[in-house]
């Protein structure tokens, strides 16, 4: 390991643009929240079998873990804790701006509404504002109904001070972008940025859905692991920014190492890219090491990395924060003598 480069990746001020709040849960917290030994055993089993399968079975494994996680987070105190620990972890890793995405949910059979879920997260974001500038992206889950997705859009509108975007995520086996297209059109009408998970499975249906997503022209795209050459060229020509999550992509795509990741293809085309963590808790990774692994695999110098991180700031949804982030990076470059 190149200690000097790793230290550089740790100390450079970073931005995180693709982090699912509940997926950031510390594994120790996840274990504590699991109430029964059956659930503990199920988690052990899922962790042991994950690496055995192909993309489809790995995805199924990950989504079973998400379901288990969802079943053990049952109240606002737990969401408060997860948000607190997530922001603490990012801030300790010198992340200075983070867009956390989450699917709003109610608790206690609706007695605690989704608005309380969002307000709880915003409360913690405010507590951390001196250390890290955090914003929210609300996620529509592929399995939801149009009514539920509409409610999410309305919540996004209601909390626009902190909510900066709308996401589509959830089990990629469910091809539902078309169903939600009208809601994403509404987002455009009110200038709410959008990010869509695209190309997560190596199948025909997924490749077909990629076209529908690209036709919509979202503000950013997540992953783009599986795609046709034509789709690749289209994204490059239209300069649609990509959120790439190396560890998560490596695991679900079943790649041998980071050198096989599609980062380089887009990087060499000078494409707008952000390196992100996806689910730092469940994937056991942090942003510094994600950036380090990519830098190491594709022989990026400190100067390359600095320029990469600087360019990535242009991809944030809350443009009000741009000047502050770029200033922080400039201060860092003056102190670290990279040029
Ligand atoms: P939450 O929205 O509950 O805060 O974060 C966890 C949820 O994010 C998961 O249940 C899942 O729906 C979504 N998610 C996390 N990682 C991925 C991913 O890699 N791909 C997709 N499509 N969805 C994800």
């Amino acid at each position: 390991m190149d200690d000097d480069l790793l230290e550089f990746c740790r100390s450079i001020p970073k931005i995180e643009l693709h982090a699912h709040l509940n997926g950031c849960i510390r594994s120790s917290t996840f274990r504590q929240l699991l109430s029964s030994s059956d659930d503990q055993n199920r988690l052990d089993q899922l962790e042991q079998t994950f690496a055995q399968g192909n993309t489809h079975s790995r995805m199924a494994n990950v989504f079973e873990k998400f379901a288990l996680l969802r079943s053990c987070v049952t109240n606002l105190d737990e969401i408060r804790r997860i948000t607190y620990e997530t922001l603490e972890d990012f801030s300790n890793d010198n992340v200075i701006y983070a867009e956390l995405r989450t699917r709003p949910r109610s608790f206690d059979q609706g007695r605690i509404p989704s608005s309380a879920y969002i307000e709880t997260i915003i409360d913690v974001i405010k507590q951390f504002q001196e250390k890290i500038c955090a914003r929210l992206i609300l996620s529509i889950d592929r399995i939801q109904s149009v009514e539920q997705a509409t409610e999410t859009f309305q919540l996004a509108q209601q909390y626009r001070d902190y909510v900066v975007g709308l996401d589509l995520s959830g089990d990629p086996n469910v091809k539902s972008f078309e169903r939600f297209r009208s809601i994403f059109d509404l987002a455009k009408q009110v200038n709410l940025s959008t990010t869509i998970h695209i190309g997560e499975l190596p199948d025909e249906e997924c490749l077909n859905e990629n076209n529908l997503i690209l036709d919509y022209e979202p503000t950013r795209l997540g992953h783009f692991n599986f795609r046709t050459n034509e789709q690749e060229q289209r994204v490059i020509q239209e300069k649609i920014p990509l959120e790439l999550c190396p560890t998560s992509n490596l695991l679900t795509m079943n790649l041998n190492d980071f050198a096989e990741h599609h980062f380089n293809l887009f990087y060499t085309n000078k494409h707008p890219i952000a390196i992100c963590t996806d689910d730092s808790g469940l994937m056991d990774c942090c942003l510094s090491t994600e950036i380090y692994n990519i830098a190491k695999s594709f022989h990026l110098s400190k100067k390359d990395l600095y320029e990469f991180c600087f360019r990535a700031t242009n991809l944030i949804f809350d443009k009000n924060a741009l000047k502050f982030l770029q200033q922080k990076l400039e201060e860092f470059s003056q102190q670290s003598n990279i040029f």
Side-chain angles (χ1 to χ4, degrees), residues 18-291:
H18 188 130
H20 297 269
L21 178 60
N22 283 287
C24 295
I25 190 171
R26 288 179 187 162
S27 64
S28 52
T29 304
F30 191 4
R31 291 271 168 191
Q32 272 176 27
L33 295 186
L34 286 174
S35 49
S36 70
S37 57
D38 275 359
D39 283 349
Q40 297 276 359
N41 292 339
R42 187 68 198 125
L43 182 58
D44 289 339
Q45 214 178 25
L46 287 169
E47 284 179 347
Q48 280 156 20
T49 52
F50 174 80
Q52 292 164 8
N54 60 13
T55 293
H56 277 93
S57 64
R58 283 170 181 233
M59 273 290 182
N61 179 302
V62 166
F63 276 89
E64 205 179 324
K65 230 184 200 180
F66 284 134
L68 190 58
L69 173 60
R70 194 173 163 81
S71 72
C72 75
V73 177
T74 56
N75 59 55
L76 294 179
D77 284 344
E78 286 163 359
I79 277 301
R80 190 183 304 281
R81 175 179 178 186
I82 293 169
T83 311
Y84 188 95
E85 291 177 354
T86 298
L87 290 180
E88 188 169 62
D89 291 345
F90 278 132
S91 139
N92 287 340
D93 194 29
N94 285 320
V95 175
I96 57 168
Y97 174 93
E99 290 172 5
L100 301 178
R101 61 186 72 192
T102 194
R103 165 183 162 187
R105 61 181 295 197
S106 58
F107 292 112
D108 212 3
Q109 273 110 39
R111 280 186 284 274
I112 299 170
S114 312
S115 55
Y117 177 89
I118 295 173
E119 283 170 19
T120 301
I121 299 168
I122 291 176
D123 250 16
V124 184
I125 287 178
K126 286 181 183 163
Q127 274 181 55
F128 272 84
Q129 66 194 4
E130 298 301 318
K131 292 186 173 156
I132 178 169
C133 173
R135 295 290 179 261
L136 270 177
I137 294 174
L138 298 190
S139 299
I140 293 172
D141 191 306
R142 285 175 168 278
I143 57 163
Q144 286 185 295
S145 66
V146 173
E147 289 69 30
Q148 288 168 320
T150 305
E151 195 199 328
T152 299
F153 170 73
Q154 286 162 349
L155 284 167
Q157 283 286 80
Q158 194 180 336
Y159 294 96
R160 276 299 277 268
D161 284 354
Y162 284 87
V163 175
V164 294
L166 197 64
D167 158 65
L168 180 69
S169 50
D171 187 347
N173 283 295
V174 183
K175 310 287 188 272
S176 50
F177 175 71
E178 211 167 4
R179 206 148 50 80
F180 299 125
R181 166 79 199 233
S182 60
I183 297 168
F184 281 94
D185 284 337
L186 278 179
K188 267 191 185 162
Q189 281 171 28
V190 298
N191 280 325
L192 182 65
S193 298
T194 54
T195 172
I196 315 267
H197 283 61
I198 185 171
E200 289 185 275
L201 290 172
D203 61 41
E204 197 69 29
E205 273 187 299
C206 181
L207 294 178
N208 289 339
E209 199 193 42
N210 287 356
N211 287 328
L212 301 178
I213 296 170
L214 295 181
D215 287 345
Y216 167 69
E217 298 179 8
T219 323
R220 298 194 308 241
L221 291 168
H223 304 310
F224 206 33
N225 298 343
F226 300 100
R227 57 207 177 266
T228 64
N229 288 339
E230 203 181 32
Q231 290 164 353
E232 200 168 279
Q233 286 313 309
R234 197 170 160 192
V235 165
I236 291 171
Q237 268 154 28
E238 294 176 17
K239 294 193 172 13
I240 310 178
L242 292 178
E243 305 152 358
L244 302 179
C245 309
T247 295
S248 166
N249 300 155
L250 192 83
L251 290 171
T252 53
M253 293 172 81
N254 197 4
L255 303 180
N256 292 315
D257 74 63
F258 291 103
E260 293 177 8
H261 192 274
H262 46 297
F263 169 87
N264 209 36
L265 169 93
F266 291 96
Y267 182 72
T268 50
N269 274 288
K270 303 195 179 348
H271 192 77
I273 308 169
I275 294 178
C276 314
T277 53
D278 205 10
D279 297 288
S280 53
L282 296 195
M283 301 290 173
D284 192 20
C285 63
C286 72
L287 192 54
S288 301
T289 50
E290 290 299 278
I291 293 174

